[in-house]
Amino acid sequence: MAMPTGRAATIIDVANLAGVSKSTASRVLTGTGRVSSAAVAVVTRAADELHYVANPAARALITMSGTRVVVGAVSPRATLSIDAYLSQVVSAAAAACGPERIGVGLQALSLAGPDPFAELGRDPTVQGVVLVNTTSSVLAAAGRALPGRIVSIGVGSAAVPSIDVDNGAGAETIVRHLLESGRRRIAMVTGPQWLPCIRRPVTAYQQLMRDAGLSTRIVAGDFTPESGRTAAAAALRRWPDLDAIVAICDDTALGVLAELRSRGVEVPGDVAVVGFDDIPFAEFAGLTTATHPVERIADTAARTLLQGRTDRAADVVFGSELVLRQSA
Amino acid sequence: MAMPTGRAATIIDVANLAGVSKSTASRVLTGTGRVSSAAVAVVTRAADELHYVANPAARALITMSGTRVVVGAVSPRATLSIDAYLSQVVSAAAAACGPERIGVGLQALSLAGPDPFAELGRDPTVQGVVLVNTTSSVLAAAGRALPGRIVSIGVGSAAVPSIDVDNGAGAETIVRHLLESGRRRIAMVTGPQWLPCIRRPVTAYQQLMRDAGLSTRIVAGDFTPESGRTAAAAALRRWPDLDAIVAICDDTALGVLAELRSRGVEVPGDVAVVGFDDIPFAEFAGLTTATHPVERIADTAARTLLQGRTDRAADVVFGSELVLRQSA
DNA sequence: CTGAAAGCGCTTACAG
DNA sequence: CTGAAAGCGCTTACAG
């Protein structure tokens, strides 16, 4: 018979319809313990008919598993500024957790106050934590407070698996492309110094330039378009013979592009410009860049937490691919 | 004394420390029923000391309230494309629900398959649903399946409160500004036709132009920069004497800007351009626009659901303010 | 392989 | 105003 609408089926409804005890129904549904194939058949059929899905609140209570995954954004200050990147991570995680009926939280992890991980570790509703923009010094505390319940989108550690894009290899591909197309006086605009994961592209750039017998030219940026504008101006002043600028992210590269355009510098004629991330706007702006699969990364991070397997084998590195457009 | 780390304080810990029964502790903590001020003092103190927060899973089980808020994105197709706007809504909701230890889900509400609201309505883990990009026809089913548990960021109905920006008034301010600065041949680039909430700016524009005795010039767009480019080209072809273009969103306005620039049309000299939303990139591009407080809207929507008060009085309209920059 | 029972942490009638 | 008891929906030892 049809179930009464307005009320979800419980395991007792399923057990009654199947003609077994709720213990047996539970065993079939969770797939644990020994059960006869007859029981499996009849319970499965009843559960299907009633559209039964276990109530996660009840399950969480008994198994001490969580009801939510928290995206923890490490930030130097107490206030949380939600940028496009962080939003994308949260949304992708929320989409991934939906079918399990697990929700996603977003929390600033302030380095200023008391250890933010202690509280998360004690919270039984927290199935796991996705660390974003972490620093090496944070990692130790995180791994200790949330053993087996934490992954990092960024640098990892022995206790915290890392799930991230291989931005070192991405930068390598970019610089190699510039060298192959004849560029020699290549500058790089970096990101915030405190973020360890962005050192990889810088290192890759330095290595490649050194190998080619060329000098490195580094200007500081902070991920914003404004910093790209400033950095481009500074670079041109310092190295008037510049023939390429690589920015560590597309936002900054768009700033570089705007500054060059306003100065009448031809792109890519005089100076080639390359970004990183392949944000939606990059295609429109004709910006050559390398991909950064943020959605897939966040999806994988969330699923890892859902499955509860966060040992070292959980490390995942996503490749970055060059996307050739007009700017280089 | 300090609580044992590794285990969250339960209401029994609080009751013991306070020297009362857990019934009394619960009454104090939930703020229901009669309690002596002495009990309030001692329980509050104990809860503070132990950093007690009720386990939402247990509470959900007994009160039949949910453990998560679901952002439901109405989409014509089955696949969910997560754009910047939707991401922002999800993230802001996640940040708002965090302190209550409620998670956020993200789900595509496909118009193609079976009624997606029936399942959400039956799901006891769903505290409420935030509807995004809804259509009038969806509203009826939503209100019926989730009475008192749904709000809409967009159009609302008698059963579904609307929490949104006043984009009609925003458009009015924009057009008025153009008229006051001497523009007369003003075109508007619209958004996707199926989205009812974007008809308000169109209507406002038509009204104001009619009142001023001017003809309206409307071109279709779809929120993308590419459509802005195409629309600008079409508009210039059709009305070569154009002196202003209003786009329904900043992304599209940036496309308009790019097309005008590539044709050597001076902005704002020949043609003024105005967007809507005030996305981060607008400031960088010098785009005049009107604000769209997405974070505050989503925050309010989530809080409304958390408080469980979704009667008609829950309607909230956020103002939109003109931001004057170089483009108009 | 199965069922009856205990218990997760909480709230809320029910007596006092 | 307070406490003892019941019960939300589930899982998991414990007997059989």
Side-chain angles (χ1 to χ4, degrees), chain A residues 276-299:
Chain A
F276 194 96
D277 285 345
D278 196 22
I279 63 174
F281 221 74
E283 178 174 10
F284 179 73
L287 179 67
T288 290
T289 186
T291 57
H292 182 176
V294 179
E295 274 193 42
R296 290 170 61 208
I297 291 171
D299 180 274

Side-chain angles (χ1 to χ4, degrees), chain B residues 72-322:
Chain B
V74 177
S75 81
R77 292 162 308 160
T79 56
L80 177 65
S81 87
I82 308 180
D83 62 16
Y85 170 65
L86 185 55
S87 294
Q88 234 186 318
V89 170
V90 173
S91 302
C97 295
E100 309 284 334
R101 306 210 290 179
I102 296 290
V104 169
L106 171 57
Q107 202 165 307
L109 265 26
S110 170
L111 302 180
D115 180 7
F117 294 107
E119 196 178 344
L120 285 169
R122 268 198 308 266
D123 188 336
T125 71
V126 176
Q127 170 73 24
V129 173
V130 177
L131 223 43
V132 175
N133 286 350
T134 193
T135 67
S136 312
S137 66
V138 162
L139 242 32
R144 214 178 307 120
L146 293 144
R149 293 196 293 157
I150 188 158
V151 298
S152 168
I153 297 186
V155 293
S157 72
V160 183
S162 161
I163 297 171
D164 205 358
V165 65
D166 190 347
N167 52 3
E172 206 176 307
T173 312
I174 289 167
V175 175
R176 213 182 286 281
H177 164 70
L178 290 171
L179 289 172
E180 279 167 8
S181 46
R183 309 287 171 168
R184 287 295 173 269
R185 299 172 295 278
I186 306 169
M188 175 172 266
V189 184
T190 66
Q193 296 301 316
W194 63 272
L195 243 193
C197 59
I198 62 162
R199 280 186 214 131
R200 296 184 298 227
V202 177
T203 306
Y205 157 78
Q206 289 171 322
Q207 186 67 51
L208 242 57
M209 294 299 277
R210 202 159 17 231
D211 290 354
L214 301 169
S215 63
T216 59
R217 305 158 186 224
I218 293 182
V219 193
D222 64 4
F223 286 167
T224 65
E226 286 74 18
S227 77
R229 190 164 249 172
T230 314
L236 283 176
R237 201 177 322 113
R238 197 149 152 213
W239 306 291
D241 63 342
L242 219 57
D243 63 10
I245 300 180
V246 180
I248 209 127
C249 74
D250 285 349
D251 268 333
T252 300
L254 291 170
V256 169
L257 236 32
E259 180 64 21
L260 295 182
R261 192 170 48 223
S262 78
R263 289 171 172 251
V265 177
E266 288 282 324
V267 176
D270 300 328
V271 176
V273 176
V274 188
F276 194 98
D277 284 345
D278 196 22
I279 63 174
F281 222 73
E283 178 175 8
F284 179 73
L287 179 68
T288 291
T289 186
T291 56
H292 182 175
V294 180
E295 274 193 41
R296 288 170 61 206
I297 292 171
D299 179 272
T300 303
R303 282 178 205 284
T304 302
L305 256 18
L306 253 25
Q307 288 158 203
R309 306 206 115 277
T310 66
D311 43 35
R312 296 205 67 170
D315 271 60
V316 182
V317 179
F318 284 89
S320 172
E321 275 169 34
L322 192 64

Side-chain angles (χ1 to χ4, degrees), chain A residues 223-292:
Chain A
F223 286 167
T224 65
E226 287 73 19
S227 78
R229 190 163 248 173
T230 314
L236 283 175
R237 202 176 324 114
R238 197 151 152 211
W239 306 291
D241 62 342
L242 220 58
D243 63 9
I245 301 180
V246 179
I248 210 128
C249 74
D250 284 351
D251 268 333
T252 300
L254 291 170
V256 169
L257 235 33
E259 180 64 21
L260 295 182
R261 191 170 50 222
S262 78
R263 289 172 173 249
V265 177
E266 288 282 324
V267 175
D270 301 328
V271 176
V273 175
V274 188
F276 194 96
D277 285 345
D278 196 22
I279 63 174
F281 221 74
E283 178 174 10
F284 179 73
L287 179 67
T288 290
T289 186
T291 57
H292 182 176

